[in-house]
Amino acid sequence: MERSCHLHTHSLKIGLIGAGRIGRLHAEHLTTRIPSADLIMVADVFEEAARQCAELYSIPYSTQDYHAVLDHPDIQAVVICSSTDTHAQIIEEAAQAGKHIFCEKPIALDLQSIDQALDAVERAGVKLQIGFNRRFDANYRRVREAVERGEIGRPHMLHIISRDPDPPPIEYIRMSGGIFLDMTIHDFDIARFLIGNEVEEVFAQASVMDDPAIGAAGDVDTTVVTLQFTNGVIGTISNSRHAAYGYDQRVELLGSAGAISTDNNYSNTAVISDGNSVRRDLPLHFFVERYVESFVTEMAAFVDAVLHETPVPVTGYDGRVPVIMALAAHKSLVEHRPIPLSEIE
Amino acid sequence: MERSCHLHTHSLKIGLIGAGRIGRLHAEHLTTRIPSADLIMVADVFEEAARQCAELYSIPYSTQDYHAVLDHPDIQAVVICSSTDTHAQIIEEAAQAGKHIFCEKPIALDLQSIDQALDAVERAGVKLQIGFNRRFDANYRRVREAVERGEIGRPHMLHIISRDPDPPPIEYIRMSGGIFLDMTIHDFDIARFLIGNEVEEVFAQASVMDDPAIGAAGDVDTTVVTLQFTNGVIGTISNSRHAAYGYDQRVELLGSAGAISTDNNYSNTAVISDGNSVRRDLPLHFFVERYVESFVTEMAAFVDAVLHETPVPVTGYDGRVPVIMALAAHKSLVEHRPIPLSEIE
Amino acid sequence: MERSCHLHTHSLKIGLIGAGRIGRLHAEHLTTRIPSADLIMVADVFEEAARQCAELYSIPYSTQDYHAVLDHPDIQAVVICSSTDTHAQIIEEAAQAGKHIFCEKPIALDLQSIDQALDAVERAGVKLQIGFNRRFDANYRRVREAVERGEIGRPHMLHIISRDPDPPPIEYIRMSGGIFLDMTIHDFDIARFLIGNEVEEVFAQASVMDDPAIGAAGDVDTTVVTLQFTNGVIGTISNSRHAAYGYDQRVELLGSAGAISTDNNYSNTAVISDGNSVRRDLPLHFFVERYVESFVTEMAAFVDAVLHETPVPVTGYDGRVPVIMALAAHKSLVEHRPIPLSEIE
Amino acid sequence: MERSCHLHTHSLKIGLIGAGRIGRLHAEHLTTRIPSADLIMVADVFEEAARQCAELYSIPYSTQDYHAVLDHPDIQAVVICSSTDTHAQIIEEAAQAGKHIFCEKPIALDLQSIDQALDAVERAGVKLQIGFNRRFDANYRRVREAVERGEIGRPHMLHIISRDPDPPPIEYIRMSGGIFLDMTIHDFDIARFLIGNEVEEVFAQASVMDDPAIGAAGDVDTTVVTLQFTNGVIGTISNSRHAAYGYDQRVELLGSAGAISTDNNYSNTAVISDGNSVRRDLPLHFFVERYVESFVTEMAAFVDAVLHETPVPVTGYDGRVPVIMALAAHKSLVEHRPIPLSEIE
C-alpha cells in the first residue's frame, strides 16, 4: 500500500469577501468544482455568516474584516461578493494590495466610482474580471459561436427575453438603482457579447404592470429597451420582474443567412399528454438553478486566467459599459426620447 | 333513380374586382370552398386576366370594366382585389351601388381617401370588411382566445415577429408606401386584435441591412416598431424583408398569469437526426401556403355576415387605424422620436 | 362583358357507392377539391342517406341500388364506401361493368373473397386503388422520401405508434374482424410502404387493458405486433383503442446513417406557460381532422391515374397483403408464437 | 480572524475497487460532489492505475490488492468497479469483511454466482446497492413519479428506445455475454422500475444490421425485446449498438389516462434556421455526458442509506432480475419463441 502524495502545486490561493447568497455559491464551486482553486479565507461584515460559510465549505479561516483577506500574504486573488456599494472601494484596495480580482456586477452605480476603481486596477497591473456569468452559459455561448462561425451570416436583429419569476423585496428595489442597473444590466452585457459590437443609442419604454408597490418605490416592472448598434443591428430587451411560469431567459438573433434562437432550460424532458393538454414541467426556476454551470465556468476561467497569465474573459471595461447603457436607458425613460450613450459619458 | 334537386337558395351573388394573385386566390376559395357563395363575374383592367380567371374557376362572366360588376343587378357583394390606389374609389362607387364590400388592405395610403370611402359606406348602409386575414388564422385566434378566457391573466407585453422570405421587387417597394404601410400594417392590425386595446404611441427604428437597393428606393428592410397601448401594454414588432429560412410569423404575449407563444407552421412534422444535426424542413414558405386557411375563413365570415345580417368581423375602422399607425411609424423614423397617434389624425 | 365558357372536358365521371361517413367525406372532396372529377351519382342502401348526400354535395342523381351506378353508361369509375362485407362483390361487378374502381380498405376479411375480386379486376383490365390514405399524408411521405433519398441510410428498425382516441362501439368491434383487421391494417400497410420491403413474420402480444366489454366481444384493445422484414429490418406496431389525449399517429425509423421521426398534427402551434406547466392543446382529434388532406390527395391520385392511364399508387396487391398480415397476427395471438406469413397463404 | 474548525464527523469512509473509466467517475464524484463521503483508498490490479487515480482525486492510499481495502479497519463501505467476472467474488469477501457494498452492474453473468453473492450479503447483514444509475436520472424519475401520482392513470404500454452512438470494441463484445447482458440489462431494469411490476415473459428479435464483425463475434447489433408484465402491461425495448446521431435514450409510457414521454438531453437549446433546415446540435454523446448527474445521485443515495441506516434504493434482488431477463431474451432469440422467466430460474 502506497501513501498518495498530492499537491496541487499550482492552485490559486483565494479569499472571498461577502458570504451572502452569491458568495456562498462561489464558495461551493471554488471548494468542490475547481480543483486548481484553494479558498483559504472568507470575510463578511456579519461575522457569523463568515463563520458558517467557512464551516460549510471547509474554508480554513473566517473574518469579519475584509482587510484581513487583503493583508494575508498567501492570498493571490479575491472574489468580491459584498453589497454593490462596497465593490468599487474594495476593488481599489485589493488592487493596491496586489491581489487579482473577481468582482460581482455591477462595479458601481455611478461612472466616477467605476473609473476610479478601474484606474486603480490599471495602475496596480492586477487582473479584474466582472461577474457577467451568462457569457459562460452553454446557450449564449452557442449563439456567439454561431455568429463567429458565420452560421447565420451577418447579424441584423437581436431579441432578448429576460424575465424573473418574482420581483425582489421592495426594500431591495429601492436600493438597487432601478430595473436597468439591477436586472437589465445582464442583458446589456449579453447584447454586446453576442453581437460583438457596441450600442450607440437606447430607447426605453416601461410600465408598472405587476405591482403598484414597485411603482411607489420609484421603479418599473415591465420594460422594453431597444438598442441601436453602431453596425446597424437593432436589438430589443424584454424585461419583466414577474413571469408566472418562472425564469424566462431566451434570445433570438436574425442574420443575413439565418437565425438562431435559444429556449429555456428544464429539469427534465418529460412531456405528459392527458385529456386536457400536452404539457411539461416549468423551466428551471431562477438563476441559481438555471445558471449554476455558468457560475462554475466563469470562476474556473478567472482562476485559469490568473494562473496562466492570460487575459480575463470579462474585463473592467465590460463591467463599465453596461452601467452606461443602464444610465442611458433610465434617462430615456425620464425624457421619453432615444438617448445616445455619448450623452452619458 | 332520383334526380337530385339542389338549390343553394341562400347563396350570396358576388363579383370579383381584380384578378391578380390575391384575386385568383379568393376566386378559388369562393368557387370551391365556400358553398354559400356564388361568384358570377370577375373584372380586371387586363381583359385577358379576367377571362383566364373566369375559365379557371368556372365564373360565368368576365369583364375589363369593374362598373359592369357594380351595375349587375344580381350581384349583392363585391370583393375588391385591385391595386391599392383604386380601393377607395371603388369602395365609394360600390357603396353607392348598394353592394356589400370586401376590400383587401390597405384601404388607401392616406387618411383623407380612407375617410371619404368610409363615409360613403356609412351613408349607403352597406357592409365593409377589410382583408386582414391573419385574424382568422388558427394560431392568432388561439392567442386571442387565451386573452379572452384569461388563460394568461391581464396582458403585459406583446412581441410580434414578422419576416418575409424575400423582399418584393424594387418596383413594388417604390410604390408601396414603404415597409410600414405595406408589411407592418398586418402586424399593427394583429397587435390591436390580440390585445383588444388601442395603441397611443409608436417608436420606429430601422436599418437597411439586407439590400442597398431597398435603401436607394427610399425604404428600409429591417425594423423594430415599439408600441405603447393605452392600457399600459408594451409591444414590439420585429420586421425583416428577408429571412433566409423563409416566412417567419410568430407572436408572444406575456400576461399577469402566464404567457402564450406561437410557432411557425410546417408542411410536415418529420425530424431527421443524422451525424450532423437534429433537423426539420423549413416552415411554409410564404403567405399563400402559410395563411391559406385564414383566407378561406375570412371570406366565409364575410359571406356569412352579409347573408345573416350580422356585423363583419373586421370593420372599416379596423382598416383605418393601422394606416394611422403606419404613418406614425414613418414619422417616428424620420423625426427619430416616439410619435403619439394623435399627431397623425 | 364576355360569357365565360368552361368545360372540364377531361373530367372523370364518377359514381359513389355508400353514403356513410367515409362516403360523404369522399363526396365532399370529389365535388369541391378535385376539379377533374365529376361526381354524378350516389348510391346507398338507405335511400334517404343517398338523397341527402346528393343534395348536400350537388350530385345530380341518387339511388338506393348500386347497380344503377354500375349500369350508367357515362360513369367511368366507382368509389366503393359501402360496408366491408360488400366490397369484394361490388368490386367484381364493377370490374365486369368495365368501371375503374377506388375501394375503401379492407377488400374483404378473407383471402378467398379478395382473390376472387382481384381476379375479376385483372380479367377486366380496369384499375383498382385501395383506400390506404395514410400513404398520402405529408408526414409519412416525408419519411418515405427520406428512405428513398438515403437521408438516413439503410433502414434498420421501424416503430409505429397508432392509437385511437376512443374505441368504436362494441357492436362494430364484434363485426370488424378484430383489432388487427380493423385498426392495425393501416399500420401494416404503412410499414410496407415506408420500408419498401415485405414482412415475412409477425408476433403479436395483446391485452384487454381499457374496457372488459372489448374482451367480452372477443377482441383486445392494447397490442404490440412485431414485424420481421425479409431484409432484416425489425418493426413494431403499438396500438391502443383508447388514448386519453386523442389520436396518436407517429412513426420512427432508424437507419444506418440516422433516424427520422414524426409527431402528431395540431390545430394550432400555441404554447401556454403559466404557474402550472408549459402546455399546448391536444392533437387533432381523429382521422377526419388528422388525415383530411391525405384523403383529398389519394382521391386526386386515383382520378389522375385513370385520366392519364398511369398506374394507381395503391394496388389490389397492396390491399391483399395487410389482410394476410392481420390474419397472421391473429394466429400469433391465438397460438402464442411468431407466425410466418407463408403459413397464411 | 478565526480558524475554522470543520469536521464532517458523519462522513462515510469508502474504499474504491477498480480504477477504470467508471471507477474514476465514481472517484471524482465521491471526492468533489458528495461531502458526506470520504474516499480513503483505491485498489486496481494495475498498480499504476490505482496510483494515478489516487493522485488525481487526492485519495490518501492506493493499492494493487483489493484485500488491503477489505482489511482496512476504518473503511466502512466499498465501491466495486472492477471487471464483471470479479464482482460476485469481491461482494462475497466484502460482505464477510463487514463492509457495505456498492457494486456496478451486472453482479455476474450467471445466476449461481449471483445467488452465492447475495447469500453472503444477507448472512453478513450489510447493505448492497447495484449500479443501475438510470433510476436516478431526472427524466426516468419524472416518468416514475407520473406513474406513482397517477398522472397518466394505470400503465398500459411501455416503449423504451436505447441506442449507443457506437458499438464497443469487438474484443469487449466477445466477453460481454452479448447485447442483452451488456446493454439491454439497463433497459430491463428501467422497465421494472417504471412500471413497478415484474415481467413474466420476453420475446426477442434481432439482426446484425450494422457490422458483420459483431455477428461473427456471436452477437447482434439491432434488437427488439417485447415484455409481458404480470399486470398485463406490454413493453418493448428497441436497442441498437449504433445510432449515427449519438446516444438515444428515450421512453414512452401509455396509461389509461394519458401518456408520458421523454426526449434526449442536449448540451444547449439553440436552434438554427437557415436556407436548408431548422436544426439543433446532436444530443449529449454518450453515457458519461448524458448520465453524469444520475451517477452522482445514485452514489449520494448509497452513502446516505449507509449513514442513516435506511434501505438502499436498488437492491441485490434488483440486480438479479435483469440478468434473468437477459438470459431469457437470449434463449428466446435462440429458440425463436416467447420465454417465460420461470424457465430460467
Side-chain angles (χ1 to χ4, degrees), chain A residues 268-271 280, chain B residues 278, chain D residues 137 139-140 248-251 261-266 280 283 290:
Chain A
N268 66 71
T269 66
V271 171
R280 66 182 306 181
Chain B
V278 176
Chain D
D137 174 72
N139 290 351
Y140 296 106
D248 196 352
Q249 298 281 302
R250 290 172 290 138
V251 69
S261 61
T262 62
D263 196 1
N264 287 312
N265 287 7
Y266 290 82
R280 67 182 305 181
R290 166 69 182 82

Side-chain angles (χ1 to χ4, degrees), chain B residues 132-185:
Chain B
F132 282 126
N133 61 292
R134 291 186 197 169
R135 290 190 180 208
F136 301 88
D137 174 72
N139 290 352
Y140 296 105
R141 288 195 97 87
R142 185 65 184 81
V143 175
R144 179 62 193 153
E145 190 180 85
V147 172
E148 284 172 347
R149 287 182 186 169
E151 287 177 278
I152 59 163
R154 202 161 41 90
H156 285 184
M157 307 181 96
L158 172 69
H159 300 300
I160 297 174
I161 300 272
S162 175
R163 298 167 185 157
D164 282 355
D166 286 296
I170 293 294
E171 262 326 273
Y172 177 88
I173 284 178
R174 216 170 265 131
M175 308 294 298
S176 74
I179 194 168
F180 302 127
L181 273 163
D182 132 38
M183 187 173 163
T184 324
I185 198 164

Side-chain angles (χ1 to χ4, degrees), chain B residues 208-283:
Chain B
V208 178
M209 300 297 278
D210 186 60
D211 185 356
I214 293 174
D219 202 5
V220 295
D221 52 34
T222 305
T223 83
V224 167
V225 179
T226 58
L227 312 172
Q228 183 64 54
F229 288 80
T230 61
N231 63 0
V233 169
I234 305 172
T236 63
I237 299 170
S238 167
N239 286 150
S240 168
R241 287 199 181 276
H242 181 207
Y245 48 93
Y247 203 38
D248 196 352
Q249 297 281 303
R250 290 172 292 138
V251 69
E252 200 230 7
L253 208 165
L254 174 71
S256 56
I260 183 166
S261 62
T262 61
D263 196 0
N264 287 312
N265 287 6
Y266 291 82
S267 65
N268 66 73
T269 67
V271 171
I272 295 179
S273 305
D274 61 21
N276 296 312
S277 67
V278 176
R279 71 175 193 272
R280 67 182 303 182
D281 295 340
L282 295 179

Side-chain angles (χ1 to χ4, degrees), chain B residues 1-6 8 32-33 41 47 51 54-56 58-63 68 72 138-139 142-143 146 151-152 257-265 267-275 279 281 293, chain C residues 1-6 8 32-33 41 47 51 54-56 58-63 68 72 138-139 142-143 146 151-152 257-265 267-275 279 281 293:
Chain B
M1 187 166 35
E2 179 184 1
R3 174 106 213 189
S4 164
C5 174
H6 48 94
H8 283 291
T32 64
R33 305 287 298 273
M41 193 185 296
E47 192 166 7
R51 213 182 51 75
E55 283 207 7
L56 196 55
S58 308
I59 306 165
Y61 300 96
S62 70
T63 175
H72 195 298
N139 290 352
R142 185 65 184 81
V143 175
E151 287 177 278
I152 59 163
I260 183 166
S261 62
T262 61
D263 196 0
N264 287 312
N265 287 6
S267 65
N268 66 73
T269 67
V271 171
I272 295 179
S273 305
D274 61 21
R279 71 175 193 272
D281 295 340
E293 289 305 318
Chain C
M1 187 165 41
E2 180 185 359
R3 174 103 214 191
S4 165
C5 174
H6 49 94
H8 284 291
T32 63
R33 305 287 298 274
M41 194 184 297
E47 192 166 8
R51 211 181 52 75
E55 283 207 6
L56 196 55
S58 308
I59 306 166
Y61 299 96
S62 69
T63 176
H72 196 298
N139 290 353
R142 186 62 184 84
V143 175
E151 287 177 278
I152 58 163
I260 183 166
S261 61
T262 62
D263 196 359
N264 287 312
N265 287 7
S267 66
N268 66 72
T269 66
V271 171
I272 295 179
S273 304
D274 61 21
R279 69 173 194 274
D281 294 340
E293 289 305 319

Side-chain angles (χ1 to χ4, degrees), chain D residues 119-344:
Chain D
D119 280 355
V121 166
E122 199 176 352
R123 279 195 310 274
V126 295
K127 289 182 187 300
L128 169 63
Q129 180 174 328
I130 304 302
F132 282 124
N133 61 291
R134 292 185 196 172
R135 290 189 179 209
F136 300 88
D137 174 72
N139 290 351
Y140 296 106
R141 287 195 99 86
R142 186 63 184 84
V143 175
R144 179 61 193 153
E145 191 180 85
V147 172
E148 284 172 347
R149 288 182 187 170
E151 287 177 279
I152 59 163
R154 201 161 42 90
H156 286 183
M157 307 180 96
L158 172 69
H159 300 300
I160 296 173
I161 300 274
S162 175
R163 299 167 186 158
D164 282 356
D166 286 296
I170 293 295
E171 261 327 270
Y172 177 87
I173 284 178
R174 214 171 266 133
M175 307 295 297
S176 72
I179 194 168
F180 301 128
L181 273 162
D182 132 38
M183 186 173 164
T184 323
I185 197 164
H186 271 297
D187 307 304
F188 289 139
D189 178 62
I190 278 295
R192 293 179 66 239
F193 171 67
L194 295 181
I195 302 299
N197 187 265
E198 295 296 343
V199 167
E200 64 184 21
E201 189 181 274
V202 303
F203 176 68
Q205 274 175 288
S207 299
V208 179
M209 299 297 278
D210 187 60
D211 185 355
I214 293 174
D219 202 5
V220 293
D221 53 35
T222 306
T223 82
V224 167
V225 179
T226 57
L227 312 173
Q228 182 64 53
F229 288 81
T230 61
N231 63 0
V233 170
I234 304 171
T236 63
I237 299 170
S238 168
N239 285 151
S240 168
R241 286 199 182 276
H242 181 209
Y245 48 93
Y247 203 38
D248 196 352
Q249 298 281 302
R250 290 172 290 138
V251 69
E252 200 230 9
L253 208 165
L254 174 70
S256 56
I260 183 166
S261 61
T262 62
D263 196 1
N264 287 312
N265 287 7
Y266 290 82
S267 65
N268 66 72
T269 66
V271 171
I272 296 180
S273 305
D274 60 20
N276 296 313
S277 67
V278 176
R279 69 174 194 272
R280 67 182 305 181
D281 294 341
L282 294 180
L284 292 173
H285 187 65
F286 206 9
F287 72 91
V288 174
E289 296 86 3
R290 166 69 182 82
Y291 283 121
V292 58
E293 289 305 319
S294 73
F295 283 114
V296 176
T297 313
E298 73 166 355
M299 194 54 77
F302 171 68
V303 171
D304 248 42
V306 175
L307 285 177
H308 301 104
E309 294 181 24
T310 54
V312 293
V314 192
T315 66
Y317 181 76
D318 291 327
R320 183 182 190 271
V321 176
V323 174
I324 295 173
M325 295 170 78
L327 296 171
H330 185 74
K331 191 174 184 188
S332 171
L333 197 59
V334 171
E335 302 188 4
H336 195 45
R337 64 180 177 95
I339 302 291
L341 298 203
S342 57
E343 282 194 23
I344 303 301

